[in-house]
Amino acid sequence: MPRISARGLALRVLIDVEQDGAYANLALHKVLEKYRPGKLDRAFATELSYGALRSLNTLDWVLAQFVSQPLARQSPAVRNILRLGVYQLMFMDRVPPAAACNEAAELARQYGHQGVVRFVNGVLRNVARRLGDIKYPALEEDPVEHIALKYSHPVWLIKRWLEEFGLKDTIAICRADNEPAPNTIRTNTLKINRDGLADRLTREGLSVVKTGFAPEGLYIEGFLSLGALDSFREGLFQVQDESSMLAGRALMPLPGSFVIDACGAPGGKTTHLAQLMENRGRILAFDIHPHKLDLIKENCARLGIGIVEAAAGDARELPAGLHGQADFVLVDAPCSGLGVLRRRPDARWRKDPGEIPAVVQLQSQILESASRCVKAGGVLLYSTCSITHEENLGQVEDFLNGNPEFGLEGLSATLPGELDDNGTLSRGYIQLYPGCHGMDGFFIARMRKKDRVK
Ligand SMILES: C[S@@+](CC[C@H](N)C(=O)[O-])C[C@H]1O[C@@H](n2cnc3c(N)ncnc32)[C@H](O)[C@@H]1O
């Protein structure tokens, strides 16, 4: 395989994402698998490509001040070489400006003629010289543009968040979205305890820190591929953010009970529920996409879980035979994903505000249908990885208004009190914001069906 520089790898990722609509993580995985760079190049290509994809609007705004032709007129290669160059100049302090410019010119040489090389070199040297003169719109005069450009988020999202959360919290959320997400795993307590897993991973060369709120969680670093670890293949852990672990703990199904997981794939929470049930009882996990059921089955097989049946099905129309049958029902609903933007650098540019009402309607239909499967006295848990009111508390309030046989049930017994925000935990729900306590943005509400419906 011909050698390719870390910057060359990053460029391929940006071009794949822009031209073919590839997801950043998959595009990166593809080039890393193909060229198998060393550890340092791998880390550099990841940081550069992810960082540039996160910052696209800021990079293009800066570049527009230095090129006479619109950036859209450049070839994809040149446009993305420029973006990568500006990203290094603006955000990677350890890269000397001369190296950023020279390496960009070198890449341009591979993709174009001498004129292109001169153009790229000239633009980037100009940016490097005048970086200090670049002024973001003033926060006081134009908070939307200021935040959108300084923290690289779409304008529509900033407008929305400013209305919903105010200035300080909007900036905090944006900052968190730009931080790399930690690698978090859940101990498979069916096979090992958290201390035992921490020892094992340390012996495999990883660094390990315990999560603060979920007693099964570990932050891990220092691996190339999780799939290559023996501990992974032996099913000693499952990759999962701590916020998702809290959803399982908030439901806390009892061993021996019957559980329905309405939206189960890829099985992160299904398998956690099975652990909490000590692999005793029955979990019926649905997903609308049949091809995703294999993911649930593979995870269960690896983790040694035998109580899960994965079934293709639309949770808006669960079989009437299940009505009133389940002790516990989980609705981990499809959502806008606005709480997990830090996990997918390109995601913020793919979101469309016009799609949110349809998602809200889908969630409402799934919640209604899944709730019919809860037996009298049973528990219904609703969760999303979003932070918008209408997908979360608004959704739950609408549901409760139409279904008075359900009521919110306090979470103080199952979740740590430090997570409480103005007493919501005792009222039965919790909204986590991105980066708060190191977790993804996430919403959890626990409801119980009355014992006897009048
Ligand atoms: C948030 S994900 C679930 C994640 C999963 N609970 C976990 O922890 O690994 C939502 C899932 O809902 C599925 N889904 C979307 N619409 C659905 C529907 N109408 N019925 C059932 N599943 C649906 C999606 O395919 C997706 O896998």
Side-chain angles (χ1 to χ4, degrees):
M1 191 58 59
R3 249 191 65 74
I4 178 168
S5 68
R7 291 174 177 85
L9 294 171
L11 178 60
R12 301 228 170 162
V13 174
L14 261 66
I15 292 176
D16 274 3
V17 170
E18 187 183 69
Q19 275 200 311
D20 304 337
Y23 288 109
N25 59 335
L26 300 182
L28 179 67
H29 181 74
K30 195 175 88 183
V31 295
L32 293 180
E33 281 298 296
K34 183 167 174 190
Y35 294 100
R36 302 198 163 265
K39 210 169 171 179
L40 289 179
D41 274 359
R42 198 182 172 94
F44 190 84
T46 304
E47 182 183 348
L48 181 55
S49 56
Y50 276 19
L53 285 168
R54 263 190 209 107
S55 316
L56 276 186
N57 66 337
T58 309
L59 302 177
D60 288 0
W61 172 75
V62 169
L63 276 165
Q65 300 172 44
F66 290 88
V67 293
S68 48
Q69 300 264 358
L71 212 54
R73 292 248 196 100
Q74 307 296 337
S75 72
V78 170
R79 184 165 50 249
N80 287 300
I81 290 170
L82 289 171
R83 285 170 171 162
L84 290 172
V86 175
Y87 183 79
Q88 292 165 71
L89 292 171
M90 289 182 75
F91 300 111
M92 293 180 84
D93 291 345
R94 67 179 190 280
V95 177
C101 298
N102 293 342
E103 293 294 328
E106 182 51 41
L107 275 180
R109 192 164 291 124
Q110 291 164 26
Y111 280 88
H113 50 76
Q114 202 49 37
V116 172
V117 178
R118 272 198 302 275
F119 169 70
V120 165
N121 200 22
V123 170
L124 290 180
R125 281 183 196 280
N126 247 333
V127 176
R129 248 193 319 272
R130 292 178 35 211
L131 211 50
D133 303 340
I134 295 169
K135 297 276 176 277
Y136 292 109
L139 178 63
E140 304 71 35
E141 282 160 29
D142 195 342
V144 173
E145 279 293 315
H146 174 90
I147 299 172
L149 288 170
K150 183 143 188 223
Y151 302 99
S152 294
H153 278 67
V155 163
W156 69 266
L157 199 50
I158 300 304
K159 284 186 179 158
R160 206 189 149 96
W161 285 350
L162 281 174
E163 267 182 35
E164 203 165 337
F165 307 124
L167 188 71
K168 197 165 142 260
D169 289 346
T170 298
I171 291 178
I173 293 169
C174 291
R175 277 180 190 274
D177 286 348
N178 291 343
E179 291 294 321
N183 301 300
T184 318
I185 58 169
R186 186 190 77 232
T187 310
N188 179 9
T189 49
L190 296 173
K191 296 194 175 191
I192 195 166
N193 64 25
R194 178 162 74 167
D195 287 337
L197 178 61
D199 282 350
R200 175 69 191 271
L201 291 168
T202 308
R203 276 186 272 122
E204 286 181 304
L206 279 72
S207 55
V208 176
V209 174
K210 290 178 183 172
T211 54
F213 303 104
E216 314 89 329
L218 291 171
Y219 297 118
I220 53 170
E221 274 180 17
F223 56 92
L224 274 185
S225 153
L226 279 182
L229 296 176
D230 285 342
S231 51
F232 176 81
R233 286 198 288 254
E234 288 168 33
L236 302 189
F237 65 86
Q238 170 76 15
V239 174
Q240 190 176 45
D241 189 68
E242 190 178 18
S243 55
S244 287
M245 296 179 217
L246 296 178
R249 300 198 70 79
L251 185 60
M252 199 55 87
L254 297 172
S257 55
F258 174 38
V259 177
I260 293 178
D261 184 350
C263 305
K269 293 184 195 65
T270 318
T271 52
H272 189 202
L273 301 181
Q275 280 178 221
L276 296 169
M277 293 162 69
E278 298 163 9
N279 208 13
R280 289 189 284 130
R282 180 182 176 219
I283 303 179
L284 191 47
F286 288 97
D287 203 278
I288 196 165
H289 298 298
H291 68 272
K292 291 192 181 178
L293 299 180
D294 284 345
L295 297 171
I296 303 180
K297 291 177 192 164
E298 284 162 18
N299 280 320
C300 287
R302 188 177 52 82
L303 297 167
I305 290 166
I307 60 166
V308 172
E309 290 161 50
D314 187 337
R316 289 170 292 189
E317 296 164 3
L318 291 172
L322 292 173
H323 288 180
Q325 298 300 308
D327 302 292
F328 297 88
V329 172
L330 170 62
V331 175
D332 185 36
C335 71
S336 66
L338 290 174
V340 288
L341 294 182
R342 66 178 185 164
R343 295 216 167 259
R344 301 165 198 146
D346 47 337
R348 66 193 67 181
W349 312 116
R350 294 181 190 275
K351 304 286 174 197
D352 175 355
E355 287 170 5
I356 293 179
V359 172
V360 171
Q361 192 188 13
L362 173 64
Q363 292 163 342
S364 154
Q365 290 167 341
I366 292 177
L367 192 51
E368 281 288 339
S369 153
S371 73
R372 287 185 211 117
C373 301
V374 182
K375 66 156 63 153
V379 179
L380 172 64
L381 193 115
Y382 177 77
S383 61
T384 74
C385 57
S386 182
I387 53 173
T388 61
H389 178 80
E390 64 263 50
E391 293 181 84
N392 294 341
L393 188 57
Q395 186 69 266
V396 167
E397 283 172 344
D398 281 354
F399 171 77
L400 292 174
N401 283 336
N403 296 276
E405 70 276 26
F406 282 89
L408 280 167
E409 182 170 73
L411 287 163
S412 308
T414 41
L415 297 186
E418 300 95 296
L419 293 173
D420 190 39
D421 179 21
N422 288 321
T424 74
L425 216 54
S426 57
R427 293 204 292 280
Y429 66 91
I430 181 166
Q431 175 69 72
L432 300 165
Y433 291 96
C436 225
H437 309 294
M439 286 187 255
D440 286 342
F442 208 83
F443 177 80
I444 300 169
R446 177 180 163 108
M447 295 163 270
R448 191 179 283 278
K449 189 171 177 179
K450 287 181 186 143
D451 245 337
R452 209 172 278 151
V453 183
K454 291 186 186 141

